[in-house]
């Protein structure tokens, strides 16, 4: 029997398994895919996520994997351009946007090095219940054999379509409709920093990644998904041409080296985070539009939070219930502002935002602090302080 079984070994599950093992627990980590395996992602890790990788001892391996360092961010919309970068978190300011077939194996290796038992190509098919409590999982091995494994706690880190959430009956407690759809690909010979472009109904994200490639993402309103998906490449290129003409010129001098990837399933929700014998992490518990590229960083933060709250109290019923309640409370406290910010940006209506940002353009400190609200290095409350309000009143 295990202390903890973690279902899903990507950006939420592998760090959680690693951290539980470092607490001295016996941990089983199950992943249906065989690594390395790519997945849809915006790749970007904000400063709080980079700081956690540093704290966990995994950042050097990521750097050594050829992921380009990022030290400059820009935002451009009609009538405004900002250049700067987020403030550091725990001394870490440089960021990275690794390919997932690079990042996820690094996280899994970190878990294994900490004592986690890791099984790939192992699909969880059901939860085990006793007396209304989750006590384990049923899974299928690579050979097709069905086995059962038991644990004190089952952690679902298995994504938006989480089987653990579905089988445990975890309902959405906050939910908003889909707002955007996105298509992206990877380009060679397109030099870039972390670039954001916006106009009415369009958003473009540009991020350097591994192998000297540049990720270029386009966002469209959800209402256009059925039309865009029938002619993806023309829509993709036209979005860049009309939103970021200078970027379009750089792309014309470069080369797209992979197919276009995309999705219209940009869900927005918080789920019930825990119950008797189970808890949820990452996209399984909370997902928002990828337009603000928060997924990886949020998953890291949630893994750290869950393990810190439980600490050494896993086998004390009352203490475990209290720890899981605190974890759920912190999800709302820590991620509600990021959730609302993503919904605001996903409206693809830059007018009000551009008007505010025009007033920041003369102050590098305010520009960097604005970018820091997006990373999490500066809280929204700290940003909208007396100094900023006075500036807005004077404008």
């Amino acid at each position: 029997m295990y202390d903890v079984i973690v279902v899903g070994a990507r950006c939420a599950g592998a760090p959680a398994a690693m951290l539980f093992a470092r607490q001295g627990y016996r941990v089983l980590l199950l992943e249906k895919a065989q690594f390395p395996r790519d997945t849809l992602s915006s790749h970007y890790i904000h400063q709080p996520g980079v700081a956690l990788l540093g704290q966990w001892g995994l950042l050097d391996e990521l750097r050594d994997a050829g992921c380009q360092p990022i030290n400059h961010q820009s935002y451009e919309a009609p009538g405004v351009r900002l250049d700067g970068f987020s403030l550091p978190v725990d001394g870490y300011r440089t960021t990275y946007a690794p390919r997932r077939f690079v990042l996820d194996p690094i996280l899994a290796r970190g878990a294994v090095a900490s004592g986690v038992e890791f099984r790939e190509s192992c699909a969880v098919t059901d939860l085990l219940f006793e007396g209304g409590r989750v006590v384990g999982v049923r899974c299928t091995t690579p050979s097709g054999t069905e086995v059962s494994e038991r644990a004190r706690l089952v952690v679902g880190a298995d994504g938006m379509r989480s089987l653990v959430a579905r089988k445990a009956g975890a309902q959405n407690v906050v939910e908003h409709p889909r707002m955007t759809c996105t298509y992206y690909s990877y380009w060679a010979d397109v030099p870039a920093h972390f670039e954001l472009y916006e106009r009415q109904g369009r958003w473009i994200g540009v991020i350097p990644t591994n192998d000297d490639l540049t990720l270029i993402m386009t966002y469209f309103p959800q209402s256009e998904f059925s039309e865009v998906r029938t002619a993806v490449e023309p829509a993709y290129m036209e979005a860049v041409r009309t939103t970021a003409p200078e970027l379009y010129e750089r792309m014309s001098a470069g080369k797209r080296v992979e197919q276009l990837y995309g999705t219209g399933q940009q869900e927005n929700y918080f789920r019930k985070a825990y119950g008797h014998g189970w808890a949820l992490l990452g996209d399984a518990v909370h997902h928002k539009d990828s337009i603000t590229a928060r997924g990886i960083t949020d998953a890291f933060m949630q893994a750290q939070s869950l393990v810190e709250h439980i600490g050494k109290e896993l086998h004390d019923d009352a203490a475990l219930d209290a720890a899981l309640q605190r974890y759920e409370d912190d999800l709302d406290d820590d991620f509600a502002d990021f959730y609302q910010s993503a919904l605001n940006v996903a409206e693809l209506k830059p007018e009000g935002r551009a008007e505010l940002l025009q007033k920041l353009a003369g102050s590098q400190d305010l520009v960097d602090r604005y970018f820091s609200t997006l990373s999490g290095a500066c809280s929204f409350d700290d940003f909208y302080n007396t100094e900023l309000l006075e500036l807005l009143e004077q404008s």
Side-chain angles (χ1 to χ4, degrees):
M1 179 170 171
Y2 297 90
D3 295 307
V4 182
I5 294 174
V6 180
V7 181
R10 292 191 184 268
C11 292
M18 176 188 71
L19 295 170
F20 275 121
R22 290 180 181 181
Q23 291 274 15
Y25 293 120
R26 186 176 183 226
V27 182
L28 174 63
L29 177 62
L30 302 174
E31 170 56 47
K32 65 182 179 181
Q34 177 77 37
F35 286 169
R37 179 76 174 270
D38 213 359
T39 189
L40 291 175
S41 178
S42 56
H43 303 323
Y44 191 66
I45 307 176
H46 292 272
Q47 280 80 1
V50 175
L52 286 173
L53 286 173
Q55 178 181 324
W56 298 338
L58 303 178
L59 185 55
D60 286 345
E61 186 174 357
L62 178 64
R63 289 168 171 158
D64 292 343
C67 191
Q68 301 176 66
I70 301 170
N71 294 287
H72 174 203
Q73 181 173 355
S74 64
Y75 168 86
E76 188 171 321
V80 62
R81 179 181 170 96
L82 302 180
D83 285 271
F85 208 49
S86 168
L87 300 173
V89 172
D90 296 337
Y92 294 92
R93 196 174 194 188
T94 298
T95 57
Y96 303 88
R99 295 292 295 265
R100 294 296 298 276
F101 57 74
V102 173
L103 175 63
D104 295 350
I106 290 173
L107 299 174
R109 287 195 292 271
V112 171
S114 298
V116 172
E117 180 182 339
F118 179 38
R119 301 182 194 170
E120 299 174 83
S121 302
C122 189
V124 173
T125 58
D126 208 349
L127 300 180
L128 304 178
F129 289 86
E130 284 184 5
R133 181 185 184 90
V134 173
V135 295
V137 301
R138 185 171 292 113
C139 53
T140 303
T141 68
S143 65
T145 303
E146 187 171 84
V147 298
S148 295
E149 300 290 358
R150 298 172 67 88
R152 169 69 172 165
L153 181 69
V154 173
V155 176
D158 48 340
M160 277 198 307
R161 301 170 190 82
S162 170
L163 179 138
V164 175
R166 185 170 72 253
K167 295 291 186 178
Q171 300 296 311
N172 288 357
V173 294
V174 174
E175 187 173 9
H176 289 83
R178 299 172 185 173
M179 300 184 72
T180 76
C181 59
T182 183
Y183 283 92
Y184 66 87
S185 191
Y186 303 90
W187 292 72
D189 302 318
V190 180
H193 52 276
F194 182 17
E195 305 171 31
L196 303 173
Y197 301 89
E198 184 176 20
R199 68 171 174 85
Q200 185 72 25
R202 296 292 183 268
W203 178 277
I204 311 295
V206 183
I207 311 176
T209 184
N210 290 89
D211 303 318
D212 293 321
L213 298 180
T214 298
L215 168 67
I216 301 177
M217 307 187 74
T218 57
Y219 285 81
F220 308 83
Q222 175 68 211
S223 60
E224 297 182 19
F225 180 49
S226 59
E227 178 182 355
V228 170
R229 69 188 301 188
T230 63
V232 173
E233 186 166 10
Y236 175 85
M237 295 304 296
E238 181 65 7
V240 177
R241 187 187 69 81
T242 56
T243 308
E246 188 275 332
L247 171 63
Y248 183 81
E249 292 180 6
R250 276 184 278 155
M251 292 168 66
S252 299
K255 179 182 179 182
R256 179 162 64 86
V257 296
E258 294 191 27
Q259 70 181 64
L260 284 156
Y261 307 93
T263 182
Q265 295 182 328
Q266 297 269 69
E267 311 294 348
N268 300 293
Y269 60 80
F270 284 85
R271 287 186 178 128
K272 175 66 179 173
Y274 76 97
H276 295 303
W278 61 270
L280 300 178
L281 272 180
D283 288 352
V285 73
H286 166 51
H287 189 274
K288 53 188 168 290
D289 197 292
S290 65
I291 200 165
T292 52
R294 291 285 320 175
I296 296 173
T297 303
D298 289 357
F300 288 178
M301 294 170 65
Q302 291 164 17
Q304 183 81 17
S305 174
L306 177 66
V307 177
E308 284 183 347
H309 279 305
I310 292 175
K312 300 293 186 180
E313 308 297 335
L314 181 66
H315 294 281
D316 182 316
D317 286 346
L320 177 60
D321 286 344
L324 292 174
Q325 180 64 64
R326 291 194 301 273
Y327 164 67
E328 183 176 70
D329 292 343
D330 279 355
L331 284 175
D332 182 60
D333 293 342
D334 294 342
F335 299 104
D337 284 344
F338 293 127
Y339 181 75
Q340 188 58 55
S341 176
L343 295 180
N344 292 343
V345 174
E347 289 181 346
L348 302 180
K349 297 177 180 178
E351 293 85 357
R353 183 165 44 255
E355 182 179 350
L356 166 66
L357 298 182
Q358 285 172 346
K359 297 172 181 178
L360 306 183
S363 169
Q364 191 62 55
D365 177 63
L366 287 176
V367 169
D368 289 346
R369 282 168 52 194
Y370 171 73
F371 285 140
S372 298
T373 66
L374 308 180
S375 74
C378 174
S379 73
F380 288 87
D381 286 343
D382 286 343
F383 176 67
Y384 290 100
N385 60 14
T386 303
E387 178 187 351
L388 177 61
L389 295 176
E390 289 177 353
L391 173 65
L392 296 179
E393 288 173 0
Q394 294 168 7
S395 302

